[in-house]
Amino acid sequence: MKRRDSLRTIVLSGAGAGLVLSGCKTEPSKGVIEAIEPTQSSYGRTPSEKEHDEKIMSETFFNTHEMDTVRVLCDLIIPADDNSPSATEAEVPDFIEFMMKDYPPFQTRIRGGLMWLDHASNELTNTNFKDSNEANQINLLDRIAYPDHAAPEDAPGVKFFTLLRNLTATGYFTSEKGIKALNYKGNIPNIWDGVPQEVLDKHQMTYDPKYATIYVKPEDRESVIVWDEQGNIIG
C-alpha cells in the first residue's frame, strides 16, 4: 500500500483523529486564518473562548529554522502526486503551528524532536536535517518511522515522529485540499432509495411489502414522515 493510501486509511478509520516558546514572527496564511478563526456567530464562542482564539492567532511558536524543517518533514510524509497536492500545499505546517499553541503539551515533544533530528542528521551527514539531501533525510526517518523496529537510542525520535506524522495526516485530510484528495462527498440529504437489492439478498432480508412503498417513494423525498403515538407510519 502506498504511503498516502496508508495515511488516508488511518484518518478515515478514526486513528488520525485520535491525536493531534516563542520564535520570530511569521504571519499564517489567509486560508488558515479563515479555517481556524470562526466568526462570533458561527458557533457561539464565549468571551473566554474568543479571547483564547485571538491570543493564539497573535502568537508564533516555531522560529524560521523550525518551520522550514517542519515543511520538509510534512512533504516527506505526504508528497504531491499526480492527483493531489503536497502537505505544504494543503497548509499543513500552519495547522501544526496552530496546534502547538492550542495544545501546549505538544510543544516540548515537537521542539525537542526537531532538535534531536538536527543532531542525528549532523552526526550522519554534517548538516542540519532540512539542508541534507532527500535520500539522507529518508534514511534517517526510516530509523524512527517504525517503532517496533527502532533502536532504543532512537526512542526520542520515534515519539517525535509518531506525533508529527499523526498531526500531518490529521491536518492534511481535514483541509479543503485534503478532503478533495479523499474524494469524500459526504452525505446527500433527502435522496435514499432504500437498501440496495444485492445487500438485502446477501443478508436474506426483504422489505415488508406492506411498507415498501412507504419507505421508498422517490416522489416523496422532500416529505417528512409522520408517525402515530404507537410508532406506526401514518403519512
Side-chain angles (χ1 to χ4, degrees):
M1 180 181 286
K2 293 182 179 179
R3 173 173 46 187
R4 184 187 300 272
D5 295 334
S6 299
L7 291 169
R8 180 184 292 114
T9 300
I10 289 171
V11 172
L12 288 177
S13 67
L19 303 171
V20 219
L21 309 173
S22 58
C24 64
K25 291 288 182 182
T26 58
E27 292 296 325
S29 69
K30 181 175 182 294
V32 171
I33 293 176
E34 291 174 344
I36 62 181
E37 188 177 33
T39 63
Q40 177 67 31
S41 61
S42 65
Y43 70 92
R45 290 178 298 171
T46 65
S48 62
E49 289 170 336
K50 182 178 180 181
E51 181 181 354
H52 171 74
D53 289 351
E54 291 173 348
K55 182 176 183 291
I56 282 179
M57 297 310 299
S58 69
E59 296 175 346
T60 300
F61 176 73
F62 290 122
N63 62 38
T64 301
H65 175 82
E66 290 169 335
M67 180 55 88
D68 288 345
T69 305
V70 169
R71 290 190 181 100
V72 170
L73 285 163
C74 286
D75 278 355
L76 287 170
I77 294 169
I78 304 183
D81 63 17
D82 293 338
N83 301 310
S84 46
S86 69
T88 56
E89 291 176 289
E91 302 182 29
V92 172
D94 293 310
F95 165 78
I96 295 175
E97 160 75 14
F98 174 82
M99 290 303 300
M100 294 303 102
K101 298 175 292 186
D102 190 53
Y103 190 70
F106 284 156
Q107 293 180 0
T108 299
R109 191 163 160 188
I110 292 296
R111 174 159 279 156
L114 292 171
M115 294 173 64
W116 182 93
L117 201 63
D118 274 343
H119 177 74
S121 179
N122 272 295
E123 282 190 330
L124 293 172
T125 65
N126 233 14
T127 59
N128 289 326
F129 181 82
K130 75 179 183 67
D131 299 320
S132 187
N133 63 53
E134 185 173 318
N136 288 332
Q137 291 169 345
I138 291 175
N139 284 337
L140 178 53
L141 293 184
D142 281 344
R143 281 172 42 185
I144 58 177
Y146 308 97
D148 292 341
H149 303 289
E153 59 269 24
D154 287 339
V158 171
K159 291 180 180 179
F160 155 73
F161 189 67
T162 298
L163 175 58
L164 184 76
R165 180 170 50 199
N166 288 345
L167 287 169
T168 300
T170 299
Y172 187 84
F173 290 114
T174 56
S175 70
E176 180 180 356
K177 292 182 179 179
I179 290 173
K180 287 181 179 178
L182 282 173
N183 197 30
Y184 175 68
K185 298 186 180 350
N187 295 326
I188 302 175
N190 299 328
I191 298 177
W192 186 68
D193 290 327
V195 178
Q197 188 60 47
E198 61 269 21
V199 176
L200 291 172
D201 293 342
K202 177 180 179 180
H203 296 280
Q204 299 180 338
M205 300 184 72
T206 60
Y207 280 113
D208 186 330
K210 177 181 177 181
Y211 293 109
T213 58
I214 299 176
Y215 293 151
V216 185
K217 293 180 69 175
E219 63 272 20
D220 289 339
R221 281 174 173 160
E222 302 298 324
S223 301
V224 177
I225 291 178
V226 179
W227 289 267
D228 62 21
E229 293 182 356
Q230 286 73 45
N232 299 310
I233 297 174
I234 59 177

